[in-house]
Amino acid sequence: GKYSDVLERGFHYLEVSQVREEVPLLSRHYRHRSVGAWPFSTRDHGWPISDCTAEGLKAALALQALQADGGLPSASSISLGEERLSQAVAVILSLQNSDGGWATYELQRGPALVEALNPSETFHGIMVDYPYVECTSACIQALVAFTAQYPSSAMASEISAAVQKGIAYVKKVQRPDGSWKGSWAVCFTYATWFGVEALVAMGEAASAPVDKACAFLYSKQRSDGGWGESFQSCVQMEWVEAEAGQVVNTAWALIALLKAGVDRPAPHRDAIEKGVQFLKAKQQPNGDWPLEGVKGVFNANCAISYHSYKNVFPIWALALYEKLCAH
């Protein structure tokens, strides 16, 4: 296909960045298991991260399925093999907390009470690793995708129990207005996308939590068809409107609405169509989208600009629209 070379090189990165060796003296240094995980950057980074591992696993499974369906040349093998994929699953399972949620690097090892000892003037919630809806959703999606390709896995029953606990956590932390609060990007549009994705992965697209999430997104759509959310949403932990519609927030909202189902009652399809037109109008003649407000965040107060977001997510949203809504 047109992008076969790009996908094959992407698979190579997945292959070389998966952690293959355990950290020496694991218990002595209070480290979580690492073999099979994907870290935040390269293999040498070494620390297992739940959602990086989940996204790595999802990508590996998707490429493997694409090749099996004839979408990639068969000359080169695009597969990590069941053993390595299973190692990733084992890491994900080992990172699930007792409340059903997933944190980032490790299990939650203490209560929120220890935040009283937080020495930082900037970072919020750093004393222990808390569960997050984004990490939980990514892990649920990855485990469901693995089960679809390997239904006879020896871990099948453990996976089933884990995703049931995980989706219960997702439902528990949904806010009364139908949204979820984001911790790793700005903010409610981002996390609401993850909440919807988890429910859809579990076969619950037609459910009250998804209905509420869609209603929340309808309520935040601007008159120009876009969604715009300020970084201050993360700081204040309440929705703060941006000065203008933002392509990245719009893409996240659109993906959530599209995944929820395109045939929902009004105003669902109208909201989707307006959002799509907003993204198309914002695209520049060279195919690029403009860099707008900061969209990355960590620990509530630390903004980070991921420049690829302005292209990755609009392309993702528009491609999904063409797949689901093309006549």
Side-chain angles (χ1 to χ4, degrees):
K2 184 177 180 181
Y3 300 107
S4 294
D5 181 59
V6 174
L7 294 173
E8 288 179 8
R9 286 187 285 125
F11 172 77
H12 172 72
Y13 179 78
L14 290 174
E15 197 281 325
V16 301
S17 58
Q18 187 184 24
V19 178
R20 305 293 296 133
E21 295 181 358
E22 202 57 88
V23 176
L25 303 175
L26 195 69
S27 298
R28 179 178 176 181
H29 297 292
Y30 302 97
R31 290 284 295 271
H32 198 89
R33 62 185 296 177
S34 298
V35 170
W38 274 274
F40 194 63
S41 56
T42 64
R43 181 182 290 175
D44 292 336
H45 176 279
W47 288 84
I49 301 180
S50 65
D51 58 339
C52 293
T53 302
E55 298 298 344
L57 178 58
K58 285 167 59 182
L61 290 167
L63 288 168
Q64 184 171 286
L66 184 63
Q67 186 173 57
D69 291 340
L72 285 173
S74 57
S76 58
S77 176
I78 306 295
S79 175
L80 293 176
E82 185 173 358
E83 181 181 1
R84 288 180 63 175
L85 295 172
S86 296
Q87 288 175 340
V89 169
V91 171
I92 291 172
L93 292 172
S94 73
L95 283 166
Q96 188 175 30
N97 283 289
S98 59
D99 65 358
W102 274 268
T104 57
Y105 292 88
E106 60 188 19
L107 294 165
Q108 183 173 340
R109 296 179 174 182
L113 184 64
V114 298
E115 291 298 337
L117 304 176
N118 185 342
S120 169
E121 295 181 353
T122 303
F123 301 107
H124 169 79
I126 62 170
M127 297 303 290
V128 296
D129 201 0
Y130 302 95
Y132 301 98
V133 66
E134 300 102 307
C135 297
T136 302
S137 174
C139 290
I140 290 171
Q141 294 174 57
L143 294 174
V144 169
F146 177 82
T147 301
Q149 290 195 33
Y150 296 97
S152 300
S153 166
M155 294 180 285
S157 60
E158 190 177 354
I159 291 171
S160 178
V163 296
Q164 291 298 332
K165 287 177 61 179
I167 203 64
Y169 171 85
V170 170
K171 293 175 181 177
K172 181 179 70 176
V173 298
Q174 187 177 25
R175 290 158 60 97
D177 65 2
S179 70
W180 283 267
K181 181 180 72 69
S183 298
W184 304 108
V186 179
C187 173
F188 296 98
T189 41
Y190 183 68
T192 299
W193 163 42
F194 275 93
V196 169
E197 286 273 20
L199 289 156
V200 171
M202 293 295 290
E204 298 188 31
S207 65
V210 175
D211 292 344
K212 289 174 63 179
C214 291
F216 169 79
L217 292 173
Y218 305 151
S219 75
K220 299 302 181 184
Q221 189 172 28
R222 299 167 64 92
S223 59
D224 61 7
W227 281 262
E229 190 175 0
S230 167
F231 168 74
Q232 284 296 320
S233 289
C234 304
V235 179
Q236 299 182 27
M237 300 187 186
E238 295 292 342
W239 179 280
V240 178
E241 189 75 17
E243 293 182 0
Q246 306 279 297
V247 294
V248 177
N249 291 128
T250 300
W252 290 335
L254 276 176
I255 297 170
L257 293 176
L258 287 163
K259 286 296 187 78
V262 297
D263 296 323
R264 286 175 161 266
H268 193 79
R269 188 59 179 265
D270 187 51
I272 290 172
E273 296 293 341
K274 288 179 178 177
V276 167
Q277 292 307 312
F278 175 87
L279 287 184
K280 289 181 176 180
K282 282 281 191 174
Q283 190 174 24
Q284 298 173 343
N286 66 352
D288 197 10
W289 274 273
L291 183 65
E292 299 171 329
V294 169
K295 292 298 166 224
V297 68
F298 58 97
N299 300 108
N301 295 302
C302 299
I304 182 168
S305 183
Y306 296 110
H307 284 209
S308 63
Y309 278 21
K310 66 185 176 66
N311 290 328
V312 168
F313 290 109
I315 290 170
W316 188 341
L318 292 174
L320 188 60
Y321 172 79
E322 290 297 321
K323 178 181 178 180
L324 298 178
C325 300
H327 299 292

